[in-house]
Amino acid sequence: MSENLFLAISGLIGAGKTTLATALGVVTRLKVFYEPVVQNAFLEDFFRDMKRYSFPLQIYLLNNRFRQQQQIIWSGQGGIVDRSIYEDAIFCKVLYEDGMMEDREYETYVNLFNNMSNFIRKPDFIVHLDVSPEQSLERIKKRSRNMESTISLDYLKKLHNGYEDFIGKISKTIPVLRIDWKKYGSPIEMAQVIKEKHESLKQIIDVNLEVEMKRISQKKKK
Ligand SMILES: Nc1ncnc2c1ncn2[C@@H]1O[C@H](COP(=O)(O)OP(=O)(O)O)[C@@H](O)[C@H]1O
Ligand SMILES: Nc1ncnc2c1ncn2[C@H]1C[C@H](O)[C@@H](COP(=O)(O)O)O1
């Protein structure tokens, strides 16, 4: 893989982004840039009072992801992000449509993002982890972060629709490797598959993991 490769992992809450990003970091030796959760200054308050904290949380996250982008650009060494800068706009739209953000807040966010987008680097490709809203909720429950206990299936369904729309649009400009979570084996093996697939990647590819895993294990035996 090229040393300056930049890849983003996308997917619903609890899809497995952080786990896969860590594995990909091991396989590719690229630096992994994690999304702040515990250290996030607004996330806990956001889940307690979405109307009050949606806008500050979005600004906080946008700033954070922009900083990661700058580090990737200026280091010249590429990297892996465990959620792309584009995905916050999915959350923003859902929150705005649910009345959690005012018109002026949403407009400010969109304008700020548009200004910043002149200074960001597009990922070389996006790995999208496909999970249903139900699977996402199951994972969130299993992970049992206290602050996430208020997340509803309805919220996840809206986000899931937003993600479908996003993947359809972004794949016209950035190659997307779409992975069905149900077939997701060990993250390290998965990362190995992605590493191999990347070379031939042009548009959305539905990886048949069973076939790929078999191929890799046969290759290992040789
Ligand atoms: N391939 C997988 N199979 C089973 N469980 C997984 C897999 N990948 C991640 N998990 C588990 O699912 C939960 C959410 O994973 P995480 O990487 O934190 O997701 P995200 O970063 O997308 O929110 C964690 O408890 C993690 O251990
Ligand atoms: N842009 C966002 N708006 C609201 N909430 C967000 C946003 N980005 C991330 N989050 C939340 C969702 C989860 O509770 C945590 C971590 O995300 P995860 O998908 O589990 O890595 O942050």
Side-chain angles (χ1 to χ4, degrees), residues 54-103:
S54 279
F55 184 60
L57 174 68
Q58 298 312 324
I59 298 299
Y60 177 88
L61 285 170
L62 181 60
N63 185 40
N64 199 72
R65 295 200 215 279
F66 186 71
R67 188 177 53 238
Q68 292 180 342
Q69 277 266 342
Q70 296 307 300
Q71 284 169 343
I72 287 170
I73 291 168
W74 292 107
S75 72
Q77 291 177 350
I80 300 167
V81 290
D82 84 343
R83 175 168 270 133
S84 67
I85 198 165
Y86 309 108
E87 288 162 75
D88 292 319
I90 304 170
F91 285 83
C92 259
K93 193 158 176 274
V94 167
L95 292 166
Y96 172 61
E97 287 172 355
D98 271 355
M100 301 300 166
M101 278 167 85
E102 297 175 12
D103 291 351

Side-chain angles (χ1 to χ4, degrees), residues 12 14-19 139 143 184-185:
L12 264 184
K17 298 179 297 299
T18 307
T19 311
R139 288 288 189 88
R143 181 165 69 189
Y184 193 164

Side-chain angles (χ1 to χ4, degrees), residues 18-19 39-40 51 54 70 82 88 90 122 129 138 146 157-158 170 172 175-176 178 180 185 195 198 210 213-214:
T18 307
T19 311
Q39 322 87 295
N40 186 312
K51 206 160 184 155
S54 279
Q70 296 307 300
D82 84 343
D88 292 319
I90 304 170
K122 280 198 188 103
L129 295 179
E138 216 173 275
N146 268 345
K157 281 183 177 166
K158 287 175 183 163
I170 202 86
K172 294 193 171 81
V176 175
R178 190 174 180 137
D180 180 351
K195 187 179 172 184
H198 151 257
E210 274 148 359
M213 295 296 190
K214 251 185 227 156

Side-chain angles (χ1 to χ4, degrees), residues 66-216:
F66 186 71
R67 188 177 53 238
Q68 292 180 342
Q69 277 266 342
Q70 296 307 300
Q71 284 169 343
I72 287 170
I73 291 168
W74 292 107
S75 72
Q77 291 177 350
I80 300 167
V81 290
D82 84 343
R83 175 168 270 133
S84 67
I85 198 165
Y86 309 108
E87 288 162 75
D88 292 319
I90 304 170
F91 285 83
C92 259
K93 193 158 176 274
V94 167
L95 292 166
Y96 172 61
E97 287 172 355
D98 271 355
M100 301 300 166
M101 278 167 85
E102 297 175 12
D103 291 351
R104 60 185 174 174
E105 291 175 331
Y106 187 60
E107 280 159 21
T108 301
Y109 181 88
V110 171
N111 283 333
L112 182 57
F113 177 81
N114 286 341
N115 290 337
M116 282 177 161
S117 64
N118 296 320
F119 302 97
I120 65 177
R121 178 181 160 190
K122 280 198 188 103
D124 294 299
F125 72 97
I126 294 175
V127 178
H128 179 65
L129 295 179
D130 236 345
V131 289
S132 67
E134 289 78 10
Q135 284 165 337
S136 158
L137 190 61
E138 216 173 275
R139 288 288 189 88
I140 293 164
K141 283 188 180 151
K142 232 192 210 161
R143 181 165 69 189
S144 65
R145 280 184 195 141
N146 268 345
M147 64 175 140
E148 292 180 336
S149 62
T150 53
I151 295 177
S152 68
L153 186 59
D154 181 56
Y155 180 55
L156 295 170
K157 281 183 177 166
K158 287 175 183 163
L159 286 173
H160 187 262
N161 287 341
Y163 264 98
E164 286 301 300
D165 194 38
F166 160 73
I167 291 298
K169 284 183 184 143
I170 202 86
S171 62
K172 294 193 171 81
T173 50
I174 302 172
V176 175
L177 181 63
R178 190 174 180 137
I179 292 167
D180 180 351
W181 177 80
K182 279 184 272 162
K183 296 176 186 164
Y184 193 164
S186 111
I188 286 283
E189 271 179 315
M190 182 66 251
Q192 190 65 39
V193 172
I194 292 167
K195 187 179 172 184
E196 293 189 8
K197 272 283 162 196
H198 151 257
E199 314 302 337
S200 57
L201 198 66
K202 289 284 176 283
Q203 276 302 326
I204 293 187
I205 297 173
D206 283 303
V207 178
N208 185 333
L209 283 181
E210 274 148 359
V211 174
E212 293 296 338
M213 295 296 190
K214 251 185 227 156
R215 197 173 56 79
I216 283 185

